[in-house]
Amino acid sequence: MSILFFLCAAFAFLLRFTVSPQVMNMVVDYTAQGGSFYEKLHFGTYAIFLLLAFVLFSRPFLLRGEEIGLFKALMRYSALMFALVPYLFITGRAGSSGFIIDTYLVAGAAGLLMLALNPDVRRALGDVVLGMAILSAVIGTIEALTQHRLLPYGLNELQFRPTGLSAHPLALGALCATAIGFVPLTHWRIWVRVTAILVLLVGCAASGARAALILAACETLILLLFVPWPRLTPKHQRQAKSVVLLFALAVGAVLATVLVSGGLLNRFSKTIFDENFMARVTIYQVFGLVSWKDILFGMNVDDLLAIVNEKLHLPYIESAPVVIVMLFGLPIALLFTALIFWFIFRLLRGTPMPAWIGTITFLLASLSNNALSSKTPEITIIVVLLLAYRNPPVAAASAAVAARPKLDRVR
C-alpha cells in the first residue's frame, strides 16, 4: 500500500507541478474567459483532493509528536482558506475562487496527504519534486541554447526566455532558486548534490530571472558558510569551508564566463532598473485610480485589469500585494497575508537550516513574480518539500528508549 500511495501521490504532484496553464487551456477553459467553474481547477488539483480522501479514509495512519500539531495547523489553515470561497461567491467574485483553491487550498490538501504517509514515503516524494526541478532546469537550459521551447507558451516577449516544465520564465527561476536550499537535505551522494546545485544555478541563469539568480547565488554561499558540516570539529569546519569557498569562487568565475559566452546572462547587460522593473513599481499607482470603497472591500479582478490596461498601459498585474488587496479588500487581505505567513513559518518549525534558507529564498523570489497571486503550484511545492525533509519525529524518543536500559543497569 505504501508503494501504491507513493506512486499515486507522485503522479498527482507532478501533474499539478508540470502541466502548465497553456497546456490546460488546450483541453479546457482553464484561464481563458468563459467556461464552467469545474474547468477553472487544475487536473492535478482534482487528483490531489481525490487521493487525499482515499488515503485518509482507506486505512489508519500514525502521527507522532510534532506531527500532531502540524496536522491541526493544516486543518485550521485549510478550513480558513475554504471559508474564502463562499465569501468570493457572495461578493460577486466567483471567478477568483479558482485561484484560492488552485494555489492555496490545494497546498493544505497536499500537506495533509504528506502527513498521512510514512516518513520514508514523504522523503521519496521530496526527492521526486527536486528531481522534477532539476529536470526543468536542464530543459530550460537546452531551450535557452536552442531558442525553442518544449511546452507551449502563449505570451509574446521581447526577448526569448525558457520556461522548462514551469508556466513562466520567472517561475522557472524561482523554482530553481528554491530547490537549491533543499538539495543539501537529501541523502544523495555528495557529488550528486553538488552537481544538482550547479545544474539549478545554470537553469536559474537561463530563465532570465535576475532577482532569482541573485538570490540563488547568495543562497548557495550562505549554505556553504553557515550550514554545519557533520563529523567535523568547529576548527576543521572552518578550515574545510575556507578551502571549499575558494574553490567555489573559482568555479563560479568560470561558470559566469561560460554563461556570458553562451548568452545566458544577456538580461544583465542592461541596468536592472529597466522596463520590467518599472512596471512593478508603476502598478502601485492603481491605488490612486480606484475608490476607497474598492480598496476597503475589494473589486472584481477583471475590472481591475481593465483599469491597469487603460490607465497605466500595463498588460498584466505583476504584484501580489496589489492583487490580494484589491481582490479581498484591505482588512481581509491583511488577515489573508497573516494566515499565509503563519502557515509557512509553522511548517518551518523543527526543520533544518537549509529548509529555512530555501523557504526565505522562495518568499523573496515570489515578490518578483505572480507566485502568490495567480494559479501557480509554488506554494504546494514548498509545503511538500518542508514536510518531506523535516527532522525525524521519533529520533529523540528512540534515543531515550535506547538509553533507558543502560540507565537501569547503572542504577
Side-chain angles (χ1 to χ4, degrees), residues 11 14 51 53 66 80 82-83 109 112 128 131 173 217 219 239 241 250 277 313 362 385 409:
F11 172 78
L14 292 178
L51 183 59
E66 180 66 12
L80 292 173
F82 184 76
L112 291 170
V128 169
E219 176 187 24
Q239 293 173 347
K241 287 182 177 182
F277 176 86
H313 308 292
F362 159 74
L385 291 176
R409 287 197 296 270

Side-chain angles (χ1 to χ4, degrees), residues 74-89:
L74 283 163
M75 291 295 293
R76 191 176 301 116
Y77 164 84
S78 300
L80 292 173
M81 277 298 167
F82 184 76
L84 288 175
V85 176
Y87 167 78
L88 291 173
F89 272 87

Side-chain angles (χ1 to χ4, degrees), residues 184-352:
L185 299 177
T186 64
H187 289 163
W188 303 341
R189 294 180 181 274
I190 184 65
W191 68 267
V192 176
R193 281 179 278 174
V194 171
T195 302
I197 291 175
L198 286 176
V199 170
L200 290 168
L201 275 172
V202 173
C204 191
S207 71
R210 292 171 295 185
L213 180 58
I214 294 172
L215 288 170
C218 296
E219 176 187 24
T220 304
L221 289 176
I222 293 172
L223 287 170
L224 177 61
L225 295 176
F226 296 104
V227 174
W229 291 10
R231 296 184 295 275
L232 288 178
T233 65
K235 178 181 179 180
H236 290 158
Q237 279 195 53
R238 288 193 297 269
Q239 293 173 347
K241 287 182 177 182
S242 299
V243 173
V244 174
L245 177 61
L246 292 175
F247 178 75
L249 292 175
V251 172
V254 174
L255 181 62
T257 303
V258 173
L259 292 175
V260 169
S261 62
L264 300 184
L265 296 180
N266 286 341
R267 296 200 74 210
F268 283 90
S269 60
K270 300 178 181 179
T271 174
I272 195 172
F273 303 103
D274 60 2
E275 182 179 352
N276 290 325
F277 176 86
M278 295 308 301
R280 291 174 174 83
V281 176
T282 304
I283 189 62
Y284 287 94
Q285 296 179 14
V286 74
F287 291 117
L289 302 175
V290 297
S291 66
W292 277 105
K293 180 181 177 181
D294 293 328
I295 296 175
L296 290 176
F297 300 104
M299 62 185 297
N300 189 287
V301 173
D302 292 334
D303 296 337
L304 176 64
L305 182 59
I307 293 175
V308 170
N309 295 155
E310 295 173 7
K311 301 294 182 62
L312 300 180
H313 308 292
L314 297 176
Y316 314 108
I317 307 174
E318 293 185 317
S319 172
V322 170
V323 173
I324 292 172
V325 169
M326 298 308 301
L327 174 62
F328 297 116
L330 183 59
I332 295 181
L334 293 175
L335 294 175
F336 176 83
T337 304
L339 174 61
I340 297 303
F341 279 92
W342 167 82
F343 174 61
I344 291 177
F345 284 100
R346 180 63 183 82
L347 293 179
L348 276 170
R349 188 187 304 171
T351 58

Side-chain angles (χ1 to χ4, degrees), residues 153-164:
Y153 183 70
L155 299 179
N156 294 321
E157 296 189 328
L158 298 177
Q159 182 178 346
F160 181 90
R161 292 189 294 174
T163 56

